[in-house]
Amino acid sequence: MSKAKLLVVEDDPNLGDILKEYLEMKGYEPTLCRDGEEGWNKFKKDKYDLCLLDIMMPKKDGFTLAKEIKKVQDDLPILFLTAKNQKDDIIEGLKIGADDYLTKPFSMEELLLRVNAILRRTQKSTEVEALKVYNFGDFELHYDEQVLDGPKGKHKLTSKENELLRLLASEMNRLVNRSHALKQIWGDDSYFNARSMDVYLSKIRKILKDDPKVQIITVHGEGFKLIVGES
């Protein structure tokens, strides 16, 4: 099995070197860049499985770089490295489509857990053959393509939207426990991951308005259901 290729963009030379050395030791193939401009140039020349981006960087900040990357390859997962307690940064990153974030300082063990969790979600599993297409109401979710086909056209989904909608569709008309969804898709049920999931649920709900029979209802204190009514 080939090594997963990681694009690491971090302007702190000490942290950058530590990240590169640790990820290599754990069996990954990281490419280290010192600023956003160098990161963009490396991205254009090679194919990566995951990007780790610092936010505050010279020449091009992490948000700008992430937006440029997503325009070219929307399904490429991104993990942001952010200064501690910068909640606005985290929310902005989620809006761009980030898969996860780590607040500095963080342990290398935590970094590895996040990287492994993201790659497990985004890389196709050879162990479990999941359904490829899910139908509910006038919608058809093409999981492998990350596309939701609806009554008003096709919607390209982010990896998180795709995973969340598949979970809901596979449990159609049944309760999906909130903590279970967070742990399965985000890796843990922390406060910020819960906020992230709420952002993605809001985006999905807007799309589902195209079919009045389909809605996601919240069961307070428990979770939510994808409900499909009669025509």
Side-chain angles (χ1 to χ4, degrees):
M1 186 176 178
S2 61
K3 294 180 179 180
K5 299 183 73 169
L6 313 181
L7 180 62
V8 181
V9 190
E10 169 59 63
D11 69 323
D12 182 323
N14 293 326
L15 178 56
D17 290 342
I18 291 170
L19 288 172
K20 184 174 187 295
E21 184 178 334
Y22 181 78
L23 290 167
E24 284 174 341
M25 185 176 69
K26 293 301 180 180
Y28 292 109
E29 187 179 332
T31 297
L32 176 61
C33 303
R34 302 297 189 184
D35 60 66
E37 196 63 52
E38 183 186 357
W40 173 241
N41 290 331
K42 289 286 187 184
F43 166 76
K44 290 188 293 183
K45 293 176 182 176
D46 209 342
K47 185 173 177 63
Y48 295 96
D49 299 296
L50 170 65
C51 296
L52 286 76
L53 309 180
D54 186 22
I55 293 176
M56 297 298 293
M57 295 188 293
K59 298 186 181 180
K60 192 192 296 283
D61 66 83
F63 289 149
T64 302
L65 177 57
K67 289 175 184 176
E68 292 177 348
I69 287 172
K70 287 289 187 182
K71 284 179 182 177
V72 177
Q73 189 179 346
D74 183 58
D75 62 348
L76 180 61
I78 291 175
L79 188 157
F80 276 119
L81 308 176
T82 180
K84 195 172 184 180
N85 295 326
Q86 295 296 311
K87 292 184 180 180
D88 290 343
D89 282 354
I90 294 166
I91 299 301
E92 178 64 24
L94 296 174
K95 288 179 180 177
I96 292 170
D99 287 74
D100 210 340
Y101 69 93
L102 269 175
T103 54
K104 300 176 184 178
F106 51 82
S107 70
M108 290 298 108
E109 290 78 9
E110 184 180 8
L111 171 75
L112 184 65
L113 286 171
R114 299 294 179 95
V115 168
N116 286 341
I118 292 172
L119 291 175
R120 275 200 307 272
R121 290 196 303 265
T122 56
Q123 293 178 337
K124 292 180 181 177
S125 172
T126 57
E127 298 172 3
V128 179
E129 185 67 19
L131 278 176
K132 300 288 190 285
V133 179
Y134 297 80
N135 292 282
F136 44 96
D138 292 333
F139 291 100
E140 192 169 76
L141 173 64
H142 297 266
Y143 175 73
D144 278 1
E145 302 170 27
Q146 291 188 201
V147 169
L148 181 62
D149 199 353
K152 295 185 180 180
K154 295 180 184 294
H155 302 269
K156 181 66 177 174
L157 304 175
T158 66
S159 59
K160 281 280 176 48
E161 289 166 350
N162 195 44
E163 292 291 344
L164 189 52
L165 197 47
R166 179 177 73 157
L167 179 60
L168 288 163
S170 66
E171 299 291 337
M172 189 165 54
N173 293 322
R174 295 193 294 267
L175 178 71
V176 173
N177 180 269
R178 184 177 180 84
S179 180
H180 168 73
L182 283 165
K183 289 175 181 176
Q184 181 168 323
I185 300 174
W186 272 262
D188 65 62
D189 56 357
S190 69
Y191 168 76
F192 285 111
N193 285 340
R195 287 290 302 275
S196 171
M197 185 166 68
D198 289 340
V199 170
Y200 285 107
L201 279 171
S202 177
K203 290 180 179 180
I204 292 170
R205 280 187 168 110
K206 287 179 182 177
I207 298 173
L208 297 184
K209 284 182 179 179
D210 290 349
D211 181 358
K213 301 187 301 296
V214 179
Q215 60 177 319
I216 298 171
I217 64 166
T218 298
V219 181
H220 290 290
E222 295 187 49
F224 29 80
K225 294 181 183 179
L226 177 65
I227 299 292
V228 180
E230 297 296 325
S231 300

